[in-house]
Amino acid sequence: MDSSTDARKLTVPEIRVGRVLAILAAVAFWGWLLTRWINDWVLARIGVGPGAGAHFLESEPFDAAAERLAASADAYGPFAGVVDWIGSVVGGVGVAVDLAPVLAVGAWYTIVLTVVSIVLGLLIAVPLSVVRVYGGPFRWLALGYIELIRGTPLLAQLFVLYFGLPLAVWLHGVETVGRGPIPDQAFIIAVVGFTINSSAYQAEYIRGALESVDRGQLTAARSVGLSQLDGLRYVVMPQTLRYAIPAWTNELVYLIKYSSLAAFITVPELYYRASRIASRTFEHTAIYATIAIVYLAIVLTATVLMSRVEREVAIPGLGQAEGRYQGKTEGERE
């Protein structure tokens, strides 16, 4: 028996500390968020649990610990700065505990706004990109739409939709808007604005992927009796969407962060709620650091999910998932 093989068997299995910590952090974050939503919107309505918006933890112990550390920092001599910094971190944890119920609701608005907008934007972007590449003279219309949207700020587009058009007034007159599960007019307009903006960017991402597919494949599809539309649908587009996933992931990440612009038309998402509280309490550093962590957790989750989707749909030898591991050994990819 090979001695090197025996030595490998006796070696303590490698523990991927980073992956374990990442999984624990993800479980903690999404466990808190899901528990918060279930408590506020399900259990609280049937009289179970602490009630909607109630705190799971009290912030007083963290505040008291932070005050004790700050008061005793000078006694630690050269480490006074470190102790004072630890006290600030503990105080920040107290602020985060106090904000938790509000941030959970804001995170829900952020996630729903992002997911709905990018899915609707994709439904517009796919035919738009096809027209852009194969639309003949109509491709100039697609190009005009894309450049108009990409060439103007998203915030200006939201202002035009919310303040410049009578859309908000019309939605305000609809009785069902803002009642029950139907969101209010500001949220609906934000979805419209983000959908329009995202569709233009997604169309360009898909166009680039569409042009990377050899046109000879469409010719081959036509030669076996498929129409041009069916050739695009069954031969070209499945490959195109696979190639577009990395760029689509970037668009998803951008959209999560840009969702904070919805606060300027009064959509109560994460940034809106945090900025309102910061303006009252003046604890800007702790509050904005807390929402930065929430945004980061959502972005990292979206990135991991999209990477998994990319691997699942990749065609061996053709998918772009392998390209992300360029330069790594086979063992490092696992």
Side-chain angles (χ1 to χ4, degrees):
M1 184 177 292
D2 191 347
S3 58
S4 63
T5 304
D6 292 338
R8 192 178 304 138
K9 287 181 179 178
L10 294 175
T11 302
V12 177
E14 180 185 359
I15 300 176
R16 299 175 185 273
V17 178
R19 177 175 295 184
V20 172
L21 292 177
I23 292 174
L24 290 176
V27 169
F29 175 76
W30 287 103
W32 159 71
L33 206 53
L34 292 174
T35 304
R36 191 75 251 179
W37 291 341
I38 293 172
N39 176 77
D40 289 356
W41 298 330
V42 180
L43 298 180
R45 294 185 179 182
I46 59 177
V48 178
H55 293 86
F56 291 163
L57 295 174
E58 297 297 333
S59 61
E60 282 78 7
F62 297 99
D63 296 337
E67 291 179 1
R68 285 197 298 272
L69 287 170
S72 61
D74 293 338
Y76 291 91
F79 299 102
V82 176
V83 174
D84 190 56
W85 178 79
I86 294 174
S88 299
V89 172
V90 174
V93 173
V95 172
V97 169
D98 206 33
L99 288 175
V102 176
L103 293 185
V105 179
W108 170 259
Y109 277 90
T110 295
I111 293 171
V112 172
L113 175 61
T114 301
V115 172
V116 173
S117 299
I118 200 163
V119 171
L120 294 179
L122 178 64
L123 296 178
I124 299 173
V126 170
L128 198 61
S129 60
V130 172
V131 173
R132 176 86 167 81
V133 177
Y134 295 98
F138 296 104
R139 69 178 184 275
W140 296 107
L141 294 176
L143 178 62
Y145 171 85
I146 290 170
E147 294 306 325
L148 174 64
I149 299 302
R150 292 202 311 161
T152 53
L154 173 58
L155 186 58
Q157 295 165 13
L158 291 176
F159 282 166
V160 168
L161 288 171
Y162 191 72
F163 298 110
L165 300 178
L167 189 58
V169 177
W170 180 78
L171 287 172
H172 185 70
V174 180
E175 293 184 359
T176 55
V177 171
R179 295 185 179 180
I182 308 298
D184 61 11
Q185 65 268 24
F187 187 86
I188 295 174
I189 292 174
V191 169
V192 173
F194 279 87
T195 297
I196 293 173
N197 185 271
S198 181
S199 66
Y201 284 94
Q202 291 188 65
E204 278 301 275
Y205 298 147
I206 296 173
R207 179 190 64 82
L210 196 60
E211 291 179 337
S212 68
V213 178
D214 189 349
R215 287 182 178 244
Q217 296 192 31
L218 183 58
T219 304
R222 298 293 302 275
S223 68
V224 297
L226 293 177
S227 65
Q228 178 162 323
L229 185 60
D230 286 341
L232 288 169
R233 179 182 176 186
Y234 295 111
V235 178
V236 177
M237 196 51 69
Q239 300 175 67
T240 298
L241 294 179
R242 287 186 177 94
Y243 293 157
I245 288 177
W248 202 58
T249 303
N250 282 336
E251 175 63 16
L252 179 60
V253 169
Y254 281 130
L255 210 56
I256 292 171
K257 294 183 293 185
Y258 289 162
S259 65
S260 60
L261 294 178
F264 290 91
I265 59 170
T266 71
V267 175
E269 45 72 62
L270 262 177
Y271 177 79
Y272 177 88
R273 292 173 183 270
S275 62
R276 287 297 184 93
I277 296 172
S279 64
R280 292 199 307 268
T281 62
F282 299 104
E283 295 180 293
H284 295 86
T285 302
I287 291 174
Y288 287 121
T290 302
I291 67 166
I293 293 173
V294 176
Y295 276 117
L296 180 63
I298 296 173
V299 165
L300 291 178
T301 302
T303 304
V304 170
L305 289 177
M306 291 305 299
S307 297
R308 186 167 292 276
V309 170
E310 185 183 359
R311 288 191 181 92
E312 291 295 327
V313 302
I315 299 175
L318 291 178
Q320 294 191 353
E322 292 299 319
R324 291 188 174 189
Y325 303 102
Q326 191 173 15
K328 292 187 175 181
T329 64
E330 188 67 29
E332 290 173 328
R333 298 177 189 180
E334 296 176 353

